[in-house]
Amino acid sequence: MSKWSDDDVILYDGVCIFCSRWVRFVAARDTAKRFRFTPIQSDYGAKLARAFGIDPGDPDTNAVVHGGEAFVKSDAALTVLSQLPGWGWVRMLFAVPKPLRDRVYSLIARNRYRIFGKYDACFVPDAELRARVIE
């Protein structure tokens, strides 16, 4: 994947209820406040998405920039989780073959609106989380 100057930025679909819950889940456990978030619907998020080959109009993955590199699909989720206090054990899931992990990830991603729903507009985080959102 390409390099990106900002580090520890999570790109997510801001109208996806599941994705927004993912952001709140990470933020609540990220006691060091290392991760920042950007909805793909924002100017910054769309630019980041395009830089990594993700269609901002039809996102099929979230992504995270960590260590200057972008990770997508299951690699993104496992990379983020493995950086959270008490979640280091998920690193062992990298042993599961990537095609299998990504197949499961893609199945959920393709059906996320149908299963979890969709907001009419990007969700608005509370003030504390808002300070960690890049638009």
Side-chain angles (χ1 to χ4, degrees), residues 10-120:
I10 296 173
L11 175 71
Y12 69 99
D13 181 352
V15 298
C16 168
I17 291 174
F18 180 75
C19 305
S20 297
R21 287 182 183 156
W22 164 247
V23 166
R24 289 191 293 262
F25 175 90
V26 171
R29 288 154 183 81
D30 181 17
T31 55
K33 297 185 182 344
R34 75 184 301 169
F35 289 106
R36 293 173 296 150
F37 311 93
T38 186
I40 200 165
Q41 291 81 6
S42 70
D43 290 341
Y44 180 88
K47 182 178 176 183
L48 179 63
R50 282 190 294 276
F52 298 120
I54 300 168
D55 179 359
D58 187 23
D60 65 347
T61 182
N62 74 340
V64 64
V65 179
H66 178 70
E69 288 187 62
F71 299 92
V72 297
K73 297 194 179 199
S74 64
D75 283 346
L78 293 178
T79 297
V80 170
L81 285 172
S82 70
Q83 299 303 309
L84 299 176
W87 286 82
W89 62 268
V90 302
R91 285 183 187 95
M92 69 182 173
L93 296 175
F94 281 111
V96 174
K98 182 174 172 46
L100 178 60
R101 286 188 281 119
D102 282 351
R103 200 170 311 128
V104 172
Y105 182 97
S106 293
L107 178 67
I108 295 168
R110 264 194 318 275
N111 295 293
R112 69 190 184 278
Y113 295 147
R114 188 171 52 78
I115 297 168
F116 301 102
K118 182 178 178 179
Y119 295 120
D120 292 330

